[in-house]
Amino acid sequence: MAIRYCCFRLLPGVELISVAASPIDPDELRKQLFDPAAGAYCSFEGWVRNENDGQTVLRLEYEAYEPLALTEGEEILAEAKRQFLCQTAHCAHRTGMLEIGDCAVWVGVAAPHRDEAFRACRYIIDQLKVRLPIWKKEHYVDGHSGWVNCERCAAAT
Amino acid sequence: MAIRYCCFRLLPGVELISVAASPIDPDELRKQLFDPAAGAYCSFEGWVRNENDGQTVLRLEYEAYEPLALTEGEEILAEAKRQFLCQTAHCAHRTGMLEIGDCAVWVGVAAPHRDEAFRACRYIIDQLKVRLPIWKKEHYVDGHSGWVNCERCAAAT
Amino acid sequence: MKSIKVCYFAMFREHAGVNEETLTIDATTAADVFRATRERHGSAEPTGHCKVAINDVMADWDSPVSDGDTVLLFPPVAGG
Amino acid sequence: MKSIKVCYFAMFREHAGVNEETLTIDATTAADVFRATRERHGSAEPTGHCKVAINDVMADWDSPVSDGDTVLLFPPVAGG
């Protein structure tokens, strides 16, 4: 049985990772993960919320350097599949201007059992957040805006 | 801010938990969890897989005692919301005959941040599996069938 | 002697061959009822793996049963 | 002196006021390039929070730069 998990089945037309300005369709992405040997599916979505660090957020703007975001994202997915023996793992990240409630990032994992599915999904989102060359600018209700994690740079200018 | 999480917002027409013979629609259930203060969404699905303990499975049959499955399920959801401060948590469980790939159980959680969403979702599925009065019968390719976790009873007859 | 309605689920239902039946038995606790059905239908499942409810409320094996109660016998669960 | 194309992202792009520019500088490592842009555009972000890529491959701050290289300067990331 174990041999099944040793290769990554890259189906034609199915992207492992997308970084794009078009809306994320979680239901469509989920369907691409179906596998008759998978008993567990775990997904994570990051939604644009109306508040951060006590400030009311109106919208978010994501900037990505796509060539390296894609390579780094594929590497993270491959690491997760190796570490947690999951069958398939995909992710998608938005760029551009997003409104409250929009899906900014989606991760989906199919695995034989739930422990592997949860752990792989968590690993992928944790790594995506710190490794992908993607930046987030918050636009606040008071008209100001700020790059998240860049308060130090902002203070210096 | 914290006061927001102290009440469970029971929207009219939205069930916290369902235990039913009709197919689960994860996309529809997911949409019911939308909340402008939620930044994280985690979902889990149990899919009918084609193999268990080395035996080829053709289909699964779920039997539930619905009145107590609903009460116990609501209690589990309430525990998760209290422990992990998530905003909304719903779940759905199938009954009846299911084919390979069918969604047998769905759990969805919306929370301010991802750690709470993952932990609440994991708590709910772990508890559902051991506490809900639901039984699973596997039908194998060789024509036999067996109640999962009941091998001991089977051995005694 | 008490009149106790017993409901069987899953494997227990298959052992009993009926969904439910009313027994007239000398039983003080839920465990007594379970023992009576075991003798009747042959399941050897220990109570530690099983659960019981009385009148639609989850109960313990040493919960008392009264005349007219409905006792639900749950074999080991396997949701999800 | 080397001719290095520098690409700025997010906060760094806003500081520089341009997406990219070609600098003719005396630089041995990626850190030298970053220091040169700091003097030019005023960001005080320490390298420890930032990342750098050379010719579309992730690099370290002490990676060597050659004449004609493209250096990508990434401020602290915040995906998800």
Side-chain angles (χ1 to χ4, degrees), chain B residues 55 60-61 136-140 143-151 154, chain C residues 11 14:
Chain B
Q55 294 200 77
L60 281 187
E61 191 179 347
K136 174 161 59 181
K137 190 180 207 172
E138 290 177 338
H139 294 266
Y140 307 110
H144 285 85
S145 62
W147 291 100
V148 175
N149 292 350
C150 279
E151 300 81 3
Chain C
M11 172 66 76
E14 294 185 349

mmCIF file of all heavy atoms in Angstrom, chain B residues 55 60-61 136-140 143-151 154, chain C residues 11 14:
data_model
loop_
_atom_site.group_PDB
_atom_site.id
_atom_site.type_symbol
_atom_site.label_atom_id
_atom_site.label_comp_id
_atom_site.label_asym_id
_atom_site.label_seq_id
_atom_site.Cartn_x
_atom_site.Cartn_y
_atom_site.Cartn_z
ATOM 1 N N GLN B 55 -8.763 -4.465 4.039
ATOM 2 C CA GLN B 55 -9.884 -5.047 3.301
ATOM 3 C C GLN B 55 -10.447 -4.010 2.330
ATOM 4 O O GLN B 55 -10.565 -2.835 2.654
ATOM 5 C CB GLN B 55 -10.987 -5.482 4.279
ATOM 6 C CG GLN B 55 -10.556 -6.618 5.184
ATOM 7 C CD GLN B 55 -11.765 -7.336 5.768
ATOM 8 O OE1 GLN B 55 -12.430 -8.128 5.117
ATOM 9 N NE2 GLN B 55 -12.043 -7.046 7.026
ATOM 10 N N LEU B 60 -20.312 1.959 2.677
ATOM 11 C CA LEU B 60 -20.485 2.063 4.131
ATOM 12 C C LEU B 60 -21.939 2.328 4.449
ATOM 13 O O LEU B 60 -22.629 3.025 3.704
ATOM 14 C CB LEU B 60 -19.688 3.248 4.683
ATOM 15 C CG LEU B 60 -18.191 3.112 4.907
ATOM 16 C CD1 LEU B 60 -17.696 4.355 5.612
ATOM 17 C CD2 LEU B 60 -17.877 1.886 5.743
ATOM 18 N N GLU B 61 -22.358 1.827 5.601
ATOM 19 C CA GLU B 61 -23.738 2.046 6.018
ATOM 20 C C GLU B 61 -23.686 2.664 7.416
ATOM 21 O O GLU B 61 -23.030 2.113 8.308
ATOM 22 C CB GLU B 61 -24.436 0.676 6.064
ATOM 23 C CG GLU B 61 -25.914 0.727 6.214
ATOM 24 C CD GLU B 61 -26.490 -0.706 6.231
ATOM 25 O OE1 GLU B 61 -25.763 -1.662 5.877
ATOM 26 O OE2 GLU B 61 -27.659 -0.839 6.620
ATOM 27 N N LYS B 136 -21.174 2.304 12.179
ATOM 28 C CA LYS B 136 -20.725 2.218 10.791
ATOM 29 C C LYS B 136 -20.534 0.760 10.420
ATOM 30 O O LYS B 136 -19.820 0.024 11.110
ATOM 31 C CB LYS B 136 -19.389 2.968 10.707
ATOM 32 C CG LYS B 136 -18.672 2.890 9.397
ATOM 33 C CD LYS B 136 -17.641 4.004 9.237
ATOM 34 C CE LYS B 136 -16.554 4.049 10.285
ATOM 35 N NZ LYS B 136 -15.614 5.158 10.066
ATOM 36 N N LYS B 137 -21.186 0.355 9.355
ATOM 37 C CA LYS B 137 -21.030 -1.021 8.869
ATOM 38 C C LYS B 137 -20.314 -0.979 7.526
ATOM 39 O O LYS B 137 -20.748 -0.282 6.612
ATOM 40 C CB LYS B 137 -22.414 -1.661 8.702
ATOM 41 C CG LYS B 137 -22.380 -3.143 8.448
ATOM 42 C CD LYS B 137 -23.799 -3.693 8.289
ATOM 43 C CE LYS B 137 -23.855 -5.168 8.687
ATOM 44 N NZ LYS B 137 -25.244 -5.652 8.724
ATOM 45 N N GLU B 138 -19.211 -1.709 7.448
ATOM 46 C CA GLU B 138 -18.456 -1.769 6.200
ATOM 47 C C GLU B 138 -18.911 -2.968 5.377
ATOM 48 O O GLU B 138 -19.009 -4.080 5.901
ATOM 49 C CB GLU B 138 -16.950 -1.886 6.488
ATOM 50 C CG GLU B 138 -16.365 -0.618 7.072
ATOM 51 C CD GLU B 138 -14.893 -0.744 7.442
ATOM 52 O OE1 GLU B 138 -14.414 -1.877 7.648
ATOM 53 O OE2 GLU B 138 -14.242 0.306 7.545
ATOM 54 N N HIS B 139 -19.167 -2.715 4.093
ATOM 55 C CA HIS B 139 -19.498 -3.807 3.171
ATOM 56 C C HIS B 139 -18.276 -4.051 2.293
ATOM 57 O O HIS B 139 -17.809 -3.135 1.612
ATOM 58 C CB HIS B 139 -20.719 -3.422 2.326
ATOM 59 C CG HIS B 139 -21.976 -3.281 3.138
ATOM 60 N ND1 HIS B 139 -22.866 -4.314 3.303
ATOM 61 C CD2 HIS B 139 -22.459 -2.249 3.862
ATOM 62 C CE1 HIS B 139 -23.867 -3.907 4.088
ATOM 63 N NE2 HIS B 139 -23.642 -2.651 4.436
ATOM 64 N N TYR B 140 -17.751 -5.271 2.343
ATOM 65 C CA TYR B 140 -16.495 -5.582 1.667
ATOM 66 C C TYR B 140 -16.727 -6.205 0.300
ATOM 67 O O TYR B 140 -17.822 -6.718 0.007
ATOM 68 C CB TYR B 140 -15.644 -6.515 2.539
ATOM 69 C CG TYR B 140 -15.443 -5.994 3.933
ATOM 70 C CD1 TYR B 140 -16.054 -6.618 5.020
ATOM 71 C CD2 TYR B 140 -14.684 -4.842 4.156
ATOM 72 C CE1 TYR B 140 -15.882 -6.132 6.306
ATOM 73 C CE2 TYR B 140 -14.512 -4.346 5.441
ATOM 74 C CZ TYR B 140 -15.114 -4.994 6.511
ATOM 75 O OH TYR B 140 -14.956 -4.499 7.768
ATOM 76 N N GLY B 143 -18.200 -9.699 -0.180
ATOM 77 C CA GLY B 143 -19.598 -9.964 0.139
ATOM 78 C C GLY B 143 -19.910 -9.920 1.621
ATOM 79 O O GLY B 143 -21.068 -9.834 2.020
ATOM 80 N N HIS B 144 -18.846 -9.967 2.452
ATOM 81 C CA HIS B 144 -19.077 -9.870 3.885
ATOM 82 C C HIS B 144 -19.304 -8.419 4.311
ATOM 83 O O HIS B 144 -19.098 -7.484 3.538
ATOM 84 C CB HIS B 144 -17.877 -10.440 4.647
ATOM 85 C CG HIS B 144 -17.835 -11.932 4.610
ATOM 86 N ND1 HIS B 144 -17.259 -12.632 3.578
ATOM 87 C CD2 HIS B 144 -18.318 -12.864 5.488
ATOM 88 C CE1 HIS B 144 -17.380 -13.929 3.806
ATOM 89 N NE2 HIS B 144 -18.019 -14.100 4.948
ATOM 90 N N SER B 145 -19.712 -8.248 5.568
ATOM 91 C CA SER B 145 -19.845 -6.900 6.121
ATOM 92 C C SER B 145 -19.536 -6.971 7.608
ATOM 93 O O SER B 145 -19.529 -8.054 8.199
ATOM 94 C CB SER B 145 -21.260 -6.361 5.899
ATOM 95 O OG SER B 145 -22.195 -7.179 6.585
ATOM 96 N N GLY B 146 -19.203 -5.813 8.181
ATOM 97 C CA GLY B 146 -18.870 -5.810 9.606
ATOM 98 C C GLY B 146 -19.073 -4.448 10.229
ATOM 99 O O GLY B 146 -18.838 -3.416 9.592
ATOM 100 N N TRP B 147 -19.524 -4.454 11.479
ATOM 101 C CA TRP B 147 -19.691 -3.202 12.219
ATOM 102 C C TRP B 147 -18.323 -2.770 12.741
ATOM 103 O O TRP B 147 -17.665 -3.510 13.466
ATOM 104 C CB TRP B 147 -20.651 -3.385 13.399
ATOM 105 C CG TRP B 147 -22.054 -3.605 12.971
ATOM 106 C CD1 TRP B 147 -22.695 -4.801 12.896
ATOM 107 C CD2 TRP B 147 -22.991 -2.608 12.545
ATOM 108 N NE1 TRP B 147 -23.978 -4.622 12.443
ATOM 109 C CE2 TRP B 147 -24.198 -3.288 12.225
ATOM 110 C CE3 TRP B 147 -22.938 -1.220 12.393
ATOM 111 C CZ2 TRP B 147 -25.333 -2.618 11.759
ATOM 112 C CZ3 TRP B 147 -24.069 -0.552 11.940
ATOM 113 C CH2 TRP B 147 -25.248 -1.240 11.627
ATOM 114 N N VAL B 148 -17.904 -1.553 12.392
ATOM 115 C CA VAL B 148 -16.594 -1.057 12.808
ATOM 116 C C VAL B 148 -16.569 -0.883 14.328
ATOM 117 O O VAL B 148 -17.547 -0.412 14.921
ATOM 118 C CB VAL B 148 -16.282 0.284 12.102
ATOM 119 C CG1 VAL B 148 -14.977 0.872 12.607
ATOM 120 C CG2 VAL B 148 -16.232 0.068 10.592
ATOM 121 N N ASN B 149 -15.464 -1.287 14.942
ATOM 122 C CA ASN B 149 -15.269 -1.249 16.405
ATOM 123 C C ASN B 149 -16.050 -2.332 17.131
ATOM 124 O O ASN B 149 -16.076 -2.362 18.357
ATOM 125 C CB ASN B 149 -15.650 0.105 17.022
ATOM 126 C CG ASN B 149 -14.701 1.198 16.610
ATOM 127 O OD1 ASN B 149 -13.658 0.926 16.026
ATOM 128 N ND2 ASN B 149 -15.044 2.436 16.919
ATOM 129 N N CYS B 150 -16.705 -3.220 16.395
ATOM 130 C CA CYS B 150 -17.523 -4.251 17.037
ATOM 131 C C CYS B 150 -17.008 -5.643 16.750
ATOM 132 O O CYS B 150 -17.753 -6.614 16.828
ATOM 133 C CB CYS B 150 -18.975 -4.162 16.565
ATOM 134 S SG CYS B 150 -19.899 -2.892 17.433
ATOM 135 N N GLU B 151 -15.722 -5.762 16.401
ATOM 136 C CA GLU B 151 -15.182 -7.083 16.094
ATOM 137 C C GLU B 151 -15.349 -8.013 17.290
ATOM 138 O O GLU B 151 -15.554 -9.199 17.154
ATOM 139 C CB GLU B 151 -13.692 -7.005 15.746
ATOM 140 C CG GLU B 151 -13.379 -6.125 14.553
ATOM 141 C CD GLU B 151 -13.336 -4.661 14.916
ATOM 142 O OE1 GLU B 151 -13.500 -4.346 16.118
ATOM 143 O OE2 GLU B 151 -13.152 -3.840 14.013
ATOM 144 N N ALA B 154 -18.743 -9.389 17.364
ATOM 145 C CA ALA B 154 -18.883 -10.339 16.267
ATOM 146 C C ALA B 154 -18.254 -11.675 16.643
ATOM 147 O O ALA B 154 -18.817 -12.732 16.384
ATOM 148 C CB ALA B 154 -18.228 -9.774 15.013
ATOM 149 N N MET C 11 -25.130 -3.537 15.801
ATOM 150 C CA MET C 11 -24.817 -4.929 16.107
ATOM 151 C C MET C 11 -25.802 -5.546 17.115
ATOM 152 O O MET C 11 -26.232 -6.684 16.952
ATOM 153 C CB MET C 11 -23.385 -4.974 16.659
ATOM 154 C CG MET C 11 -22.941 -6.308 17.218
ATOM 155 S SD MET C 11 -22.812 -7.582 15.965
ATOM 156 C CE MET C 11 -21.275 -7.070 15.184
ATOM 157 N N GLU C 14 -28.956 -6.446 15.410
ATOM 158 C CA GLU C 14 -28.818 -7.670 14.613
ATOM 159 C C GLU C 14 -28.794 -8.912 15.486
ATOM 160 O O GLU C 14 -29.359 -9.945 15.125
ATOM 161 C CB GLU C 14 -27.554 -7.592 13.743
ATOM 162 C CG GLU C 14 -27.673 -6.503 12.682
ATOM 163 C CD GLU C 14 -26.494 -6.475 11.720
ATOM 164 O OE1 GLU C 14 -25.481 -7.156 11.996
ATOM 165 O OE2 GLU C 14 -26.593 -5.766 10.708
#
